[in-house]
Amino acid sequence: MKIDFIEPGPALLVENTIKVLVIADLHLGIESDLAQHGIHFSSRSGLRAARVRDCIRETTPDLLILLGDVKHSIPVLSRQEYNELPEIFEGFRRMVPMAVLPGNHDAGIERFLKDGELQKKEGVVIDGVGYLHGHTYPDPSLGGHLILAGHHHPLASLRDDVGCSLRAPAYLLASVASSCLGLPPDEEGREPTRVMFMPAFNELSGYDILKIVKDPFSPLSRCMDAGTSEVFLTDGTYLGPVSSLEEDGRD
Amino acid sequence: MEEIDRLDPAIRACIKKRGFSGLSEIQIRSIPLVARGKNLILIAPTGTGKTESAMIPVFNSMLSHPHGGFRTLYITPLRSLNRDIMQRLEWWCHELGLTIGVRHGDTPANERRKQALSPPDLLITTPETVQALFMGKVLRKHLKNVSYVVIDEIHELAGGKRGAQMAVALERLVEYGGEFQRIGLSATVGNPEEMGRFLCGKRPFEIVSVPVAKHLEISVDFSGDSFEKQAEWVSKSIDHHGSTLVFVNTRVTAEALGHQLYSRGDVEVHHGSLSKDVRIDAEERFKAGKIRGLISTSSMELGIDIGHIEHVIQFGSPREVSRLIQRVGRAGHQLNAVSRGTILTTGFDDLLESLVIARKAKANEVEHIRPPVGPADVLANQVAAMAVEYGEIHRSRIHRILSRTHQFGDPDTLLGEVCSQMAEHRLIRLEGETIITTGRARRYLAANLSMIHDERKVTVFDMVSRRTVGTLDESFVVGWVYTGAVFITKGQLWRVLDMEDGKITVEPARKAKGELPSWEGEQIPVPYDVAREVGALRRTREFGRYGHKKAPEKFAVRFLDEMDRNRSPVATDSRIILEQAGEGVICHVCAGHKANEALGRVISILLSARFGTTVGIEIDAYRIYIRLPSGIRAWDVKEVLEMLEPGHLKGILELALKRTALFKWKLVQIAKKFGAIDPDADYERLSIHRLTDLFEGTVVQKEAYRELFTVYMDVDAAARIIELLKEGTVTIITGSMSILGAEGLFSSRDEIQPPSTDQAVISTLKRRLEQQDVVLACMNCRKWKSRTVVSRVPDVPVCPNCGARLIAALKPWEEGLYAAANKKKKTPEDRTVEIRLVRNANIVLSSGKKAVTALSARGVGPENASRILSTLAEGDSFYREILKAERNYIKTNRFW
């Protein structure tokens, strides 16, 4: 198995027997929610969808997996979503078959999806890799696999000698305790279950990795072993363990 | 007296009744011009009867013209000034049978309704309320008859966005009732013609100006650099002169000085953070002679009448010539009386700067006021206002209204850009060339009548001293503050521990790293010209030409002599000195705050690009302190400076600023005025560092740059310094740190602070621990306990009952444990408690009061206390250990 970091996504291309393009947390329609909270600007869904299509064009995958929170409005669909989603999905379908792992923001998404596209929210194993959005406990079948998950929007803050100089979307990889997640116990000699939290494709979202580790807010993040964690930038640059991001300026 | 004779007999009677023997110079010159219908800019010091000069002829013609609607608008920048003007003009109106009213934010609803039903002939109001007048149907009708608009303290408005907004409002007013006569009353400014263009656009106008200099008597003094000495000097001066107005530059200084002088019993403090009642009370008591000294920030600068002022003290450099003139002008306050003022300087920079400013004031070299050219957010605000006013309005009409103003004289491109941006965030709708209002536009307008940024305040809470340190503006928080961030406010470094619900919890930080955001809020920048002349004075050292007092001169000479003895080169107007300091390089450039700000940022981005690291800067009017990782030296900075081209600064800055908090801060402010972000927007919704991307390439971003490059920094002045460097008029010398460098680093001129931040943290902790309640309980006889405070605990506590030294030190809420530990029949829990108390007592037995102190700290129990004591740390390091333990405790238990 091989994983490519698609930087302009951020997205991952997972190659095993087939090529799977994975994109997490599009949050299409976030603008109408922001407007309700006092921040007004026009919809950027079109731009976001175009970026997805660019990734598809660049990687020619056999399958596109949208890792949840494809849309934004809860508990009901917004007018913006009614208007925008059908066309955006049609645009994806014309290029590649797609699968959606529903997230906590995906209420009502089924009406825009074709048969077979919607997966279980507890996740599925496709071509040897586990996929789920990440707000639920994973399906037992995901145990022992690498699990790709969204929901957490990890963001790394890098500090140099003089102070903070960069905040960038990043991937967080860590092993998870099977027992904690209710997965079947790890078999002898088998790789431990690992989870890779993907950064949000939505350019407005981001949540500091240190906060994810310190105040976990999902089964996956609660059960991960921070000691084994590794952080990667969107181009695959290995930053080091989470502990290397901790501020060293304290005395 | 022929001017008087031409006036209406009723007016002449009033003048006589008021007891004026004649007209003042300014009145004689201005009355005929106003009477002949000329637009007029009237420049004179406060207290020379400017208001009457404008109003006597206006009253004169109001008498001979028909009634109905508002006939004269008298606009001032401040509500408190409105009150004052109202008191002064009420009498005249009463005598002349005219009606008068005041309307602003504080006006009660019933009064407003009365004004709508029967509008007063003369309405005293603020620019923001004028905006509101356009929104009401009935009030709008009353605007048709306006024939005079008088704008008081016009210099206060012209330089900013409030003024730009008002200029458009005046042209919107013309749309109702045609042209009216415009009269602007101004303090001394360097460019009166610009004031005229600001008021009148392309219409002709006359200027009547009375130079202020001949009325001023300004001296500069120095009483040592300790704050106590300075306060003592102020106190003596009040004794000597009687009624004294003391101007300070910041609220912090006002409070500190007030604190030193309160014990006199005849001194009060007056500043914007105090409630209205407190301020009015102070004004009235001063007026009545009950107090002799009033300590004030700029809140007392404008012409509010507080009675006779014998002497004005400016505490510290006034920073600007106009400010000095305005402030000292408050003294005397009778026609032709001389105004006396003294600048009490507090240090070397401060002293030289004050000498220069005093000279300039006497020579009438006042700063120019630069009205902003085409501020896009003001335009957006006024487009929205007109959309609401008319429901729908054709673009060409807006264009016509705008092109009559000076500031939007050629609005073509800008108007287009602004309209499409507003349509983009749905504040207006566009149908072809027609601009249509929306429901949100009205709401937006109601919240944005003013161009003053009205911001939410975020409380800063210090975890160490457990008190509120102050407040930050929300936009600063948006741009800068995240968990772990370090910033400066109140002259101290703070690290953010937590943010929630409009509250930031911080701890004092010791290490200062990075581009440190600093929140001073009230900084008054020193202009380029003043800083250059200070540079020249450092070069010539001809202090005798500037002042006559001995103490200041002696101090300045002594300071420079010491520089010479240390072989430290002194930065002047022809030399830039780069000094290697502890954590970076101090660049001494005599160019003023705004030029240094621009220059500092350019240097930092270039160094940052070259060495791939973040570079921090702090600036004042004479220095740029660049914080650098070790390894980057003064000559690296020199190389960067020498390679700079004047023409490149703007481009470099645009790139450099994009990622800074300063830019984000400005962007949020402007986006708010554009209606793209609501005043109560919830930023948590959005990773804020992405916000800037949303406005990439838009007119909002352009306006943020325009404002930053002109208001916050002065790119043109910075380019001038680089030009001088290129020509060789200015040279660069590198050296090691001097006392002049240290002055900038360690003495903040506006803040009074302890010698070092670390020291401050520790003394706060010490103070807190000493005041901590503690319960001493004998673990030997088990029959004595006593509640006291840590400071009263003896070095070796002994039980008065049995004489043992096995004393446990308990926190007040642990007092109950003593009974539990002494029970006859103990549960297992009681047993644990007993062991704990004995352990506690054993620590006190071996370490005495030191142990009691450690045990009083937050979250420090016997385990932590013995760990702290086992380090054998003494003095400050002992307290540092306690701080560390508290910090650890707080990190694990989020108890606040």
Side-chain angles (χ1 to χ4, degrees), chain A residues 37-38 40 42 160 162 165 203, chain B residues 424 513-514 614 659 676 678 690:
Chain A
H37 290 91
H40 307 265
S42 56
D160 62 11
V162 191
S165 66
E203 71 284 0
Chain B
E424 157 111 346
K513 284 188 160 189
T614 315
R659 270 176 46 201
D678 292 346
R690 305 298 173 83

Side-chain angles (χ1 to χ4, degrees), chain A residues 79-94:
Chain A
R79 190 152 64 147
Q80 188 191 355
E81 289 167 350
Y82 267 111
N83 294 338
E84 294 177 350
L85 290 181
E87 204 184 309
I88 291 174
F89 288 157
E90 213 34 60
F92 297 165
R93 279 186 203 109
R94 273 199 291 273

